[in-house]
Amino acid sequence: MTIIKKGLLGLSILLLAVVIVVLVRTITFTPETYQPSPDTTMVSPDGSVIAQHLSQAIQIQTISYERAEDRDRTEFQKFITWLASTYPEVHKNLTLTLLNDYTLLFKWRGHASSKPSVLYSAHYDVVPINPGTESQWQHPPFAGVIQDGIIWGRGALDDKSAVIALMESVTLLLETSYTPEQDIYIAFTHDEEIGSQFGAKAVAEYFTNQNIKLAWSLDEGSFILDGLVPGSDKRVASINVAEKGFLTLELIAKGEGGHSSMPPQDTAVSILAEAIVNVKNSPVPGGLEGLGETMYTNIAKHMDFFKRMLFANQWLFKPLIEASVSQSPAGNAMLRTTTAPTMLSGSVKANVLPATATATINFRIHPRDTIESVTSWVEAAIDDSRITIKTSQAFKPSNVANSENQGFKNIAAVTRDVQGDIIVTPGLTIAATDSQFYSKITDAYRFNPMNLTPAYLSGFHGTNERIDIKNMEDAVKFYTRLMRQPAQ
Ligand SMILES: [Zn+2]
């Protein structure tokens, strides 16, 4: 046998071995089979009552405007009074503490009060209607119209639906004389849409100051994604265990100024433009690892043979997967810190050279990075002493909550018990929520147990926000069951 023949034979054996490994790994890359919990006690929520209550809640205009003078505090007061008259049993049996006048914190005392408590949280402030879009709403945004099984209006999804579902759940459990094991706290915050500085922040400080230990917390931050995960026909409950940080950098270029008829080689604007292009061309490194890898792997187990083959064999196909996932903006945001140039300014007149030109770039920091690491990455990408970099706003990514503990297991199991056999996975919240503060003191989970379809998604901070009654009933089934589980 010649050397070439020997080589070819060796190569064929190697190839065959690779194919066998790839196939075996693919065939064994399957999801765990789902077992419904033996406890199948379900409450029977009354959808029409829940819908009426959500409709009334929507009609109270608790709008968080950016400017303090625009905010109507009487509406927030009205909401608190309305809650008390609508849910008298909750107010009678739970103790209520008001934090910074408008954030409500209920305590439901358990019979084993010494055990770590659980916090449920939702916010009752809403974003304003985008000016000019009023006429695009099928029903007026603050009328709370109920039609054909759907409740319409600002806050129907984000996040009065959770406030109402939680209040209905506690009411139903109180009717059955249920007392939780550990203490349950329920927070309704009032400034989530404008940074949570007086709501969730105060709630977290309350627990620290009172020395109350939490087993875990559950707040908004994701949904059951229905038709929103590319490549997955199954619904995906993404129980998010972390949220991204935020960094806004200002790039400032200085120039000589003067008349534009005899410009120097470079003006402040051209120096700045080059810097922006350099930042854009050096995306912050990322990849399929940690949380992103867990999430995609969990989902891929339910996909077709080809995709399962790729994800089961990351040792071989990782670069291919990463290139494909980062093609979509949503996929890219899961893998890395994102870069978004958003604002620019230069000279005030067409024929005047700018003395300074500035650009604003917004980064959403992945938990793998820090404010400092992203800033140095950008400095190195620009590498130009004519550019000054200033940090105008920054907060770091949250801690990552444990997805192996009882809290996560309870949320996952109850979601499946109510929704059937759907995919459940830990995930990452791309925006900021109240949990940025809760995650400093406990394992903070971010999940609302409602189905979100592409049609409903556009209502989020947009037009025609709405939710259907079936989703509200399922949410009540979810919370009542979850509250009955031992937290640890
Ligand atoms: Zn929200």
Side-chain angles (χ1 to χ4, degrees):
M1 194 184 266
T2 64
I3 292 177
I4 294 176
K5 272 188 180 166
K6 265 189 194 168
L8 278 176
L9 184 67
L11 199 62
S12 312
I13 291 172
L14 186 70
L15 262 176
L16 188 67
V18 168
V19 169
I20 289 171
V21 169
V22 165
L23 284 178
V24 168
R25 290 185 65 100
T26 308
I27 292 161
T28 53
F29 186 68
T30 50
E32 296 159 29
T33 47
Y34 153 72
Q35 292 290 345
S37 322
D39 170 18
T40 49
T41 342
M42 290 265 192
V43 295
S44 305
D46 183 340
S48 59
V49 172
I50 302 172
Q52 283 301 332
H53 288 163
L54 180 55
S55 159
Q56 289 163 12
I58 289 168
Q59 291 171 53
I60 307 173
Q61 302 193 22
T62 47
I63 305 171
S64 270
Y65 289 102
E66 286 297 329
R67 296 192 324 178
E69 59 267 36
D70 293 338
R71 293 173 213 149
D72 185 353
R73 289 308 192 193
T74 57
E75 290 293 304
F76 286 76
Q77 194 52 59
K78 211 159 123 188
F79 191 85
I80 294 172
T81 311
W82 173 82
L83 268 185
S85 61
T86 309
Y87 298 103
E89 286 306 311
V90 178
H91 285 74
K92 205 171 89 191
N93 289 281
L94 279 64
T95 49
L96 171 61
T97 307
L98 276 181
L99 301 171
N100 288 325
D101 301 331
Y102 300 105
T103 278
L104 302 94
L105 182 61
F106 290 97
K107 177 184 180 181
W108 192 2
R109 199 176 164 80
H111 53 72
S113 234
S114 57
K115 292 190 173 174
S117 310
V118 170
L119 168 67
Y120 291 84
S121 186
H123 65 90
Y124 72 94
D125 64 322
V126 297
V127 291
I129 307 305
N130 302 326
T133 63
E134 293 84 352
S135 63
Q136 295 166 22
W137 284 72
Q138 289 184 41
H139 299 286
F142 294 102
V145 169
I146 304 170
Q147 199 179 60
D148 302 329
I150 294 172
I151 310 128
W152 293 75
R154 179 59 88 224
L157 266 176
D158 182 17
D159 184 30
K160 284 179 174 167
S161 48
V163 173
I164 299 306
L166 283 165
M167 287 305 251
E168 302 288 339
S169 299
V170 178
T171 303
L172 281 174
L173 289 173
L174 286 170
E175 276 173 16
T176 66
S177 306
Y178 176 74
T179 305
E181 188 177 82
Q182 71 292 315
D183 295 346
I184 290 180
Y185 287 86
I186 300 171
F188 296 139
T189 62
H190 72 281
D191 63 347
E192 193 279 337
E193 299 293 0
I194 43 172
S196 317
Q197 288 300 314
F198 297 94
K201 190 173 178 210
V203 173
E205 282 167 2
Y206 178 88
F207 288 114
T208 306
N209 295 340
Q210 303 281 321
N211 210 6
I212 299 164
K213 198 171 163 8
L214 291 177
W216 44 271
S217 67
L218 179 62
D219 185 27
E220 66 166 356
S222 182
F223 288 90
I224 297 162
L225 308 172
D226 189 350
L228 285 166
V229 177
S232 174
D233 301 334
K234 272 191 154 183
R235 293 180 294 150
V236 178
S238 181
I239 300 163
N240 291 358
V241 293
E243 64 194 53
K244 284 185 135 183
F246 187 103
L247 172 66
T248 303
L249 294 180
E250 220 172 277
L251 314 186
I252 305 153
K254 292 229 180 302
E256 284 171 22
H259 199 274
S260 66
S261 54
M262 241 176 23
Q265 190 69 27
D266 264 317
T267 72
V269 166
S270 67
I271 295 167
L272 183 68
E274 205 176 308
I276 298 169
V277 171
N278 284 339
V279 175
K280 187 208 149 251
N281 288 341
S282 306
V284 181
L288 199 64
E289 55 171 53
L291 194 48
E293 184 187 350
T294 308
M295 186 180 164
Y296 277 102
T297 302
N298 285 338
I299 297 170
K301 282 181 180 166
H302 298 261
M303 288 182 173
D304 59 36
F305 183 85
F306 177 69
K307 292 198 187 81
R308 281 190 8 246
M309 183 185 78
L310 295 182
F311 278 90
N313 293 283
Q314 291 185 30
W315 61 278
L316 190 59
F317 299 121
K318 199 168 204 163
L320 194 69
I321 301 171
E322 287 175 343
S324 147
V325 170
S326 49
Q327 288 291 311
S328 80
N332 190 44
M334 288 301 297
L335 298 196
R336 61 166 46 81
T337 295
T338 52
T339 303
T342 52
M343 293 162 81
L344 275 176
S345 72
S347 170
V348 291
K349 213 166 176 295
N351 62 357
V352 175
L353 294 169
T356 59
T358 60
T360 305
I361 306 187
N362 182 242
F363 302 86
R364 298 302 170 108
I365 310 173
H366 195 277
R368 69 208 295 278
D369 298 321
T370 63
I371 295 168
E372 295 74 26
S373 70
V374 175
T375 309
S376 348
W377 179 264
V378 172
E379 281 166 358
I382 294 175
D383 190 24
D384 185 340
S385 57
R386 297 169 299 175
I387 299 276
T388 313
I389 301 173
K390 261 199 206 158
T391 304
S392 62
Q393 205 187 5
F395 61 80
K396 54 182 188 182
S398 75
N399 297 328
V400 181
N402 185 348
S403 52
E404 301 288 328
N405 71 5
Q406 197 57 41
F408 188 92
K409 285 181 187 156
N410 285 354
I411 297 167
V414 169
T415 302
R416 284 193 173 123
D417 287 346
V418 175
Q419 297 285 340
D421 188 13
I422 64 174
I423 304 171
V424 179
T425 179
L428 173 67
T429 298
I430 290 166
T433 70
D434 278 345
S435 284
Q436 60 180 295
F437 294 103
Y438 305 150
S439 65
K440 290 178 181 167
I441 55 168
T442 191
D443 281 320
Y445 303 113
R446 300 154 177 85
F447 176 63
N448 279 9
M450 295 94 169
N451 255 304
L452 192 67
T453 59
Y456 280 24
L457 181 66
S458 59
F460 226 91
H461 290 207
T463 53
N464 292 312
E465 188 174 347
R466 62 196 188 274
I467 193 166
D468 55 273
I469 295 176
K470 165 88 170 48
N471 254 319
M472 289 301 293
E473 290 175 344
D474 285 348
V476 172
K477 288 178 185 167
F478 169 88
Y479 288 122
T480 47
R481 282 187 70 109
L482 189 59
M483 285 174 180
R484 292 165 61 96
Q485 310 292 319
Q488 280 192 315

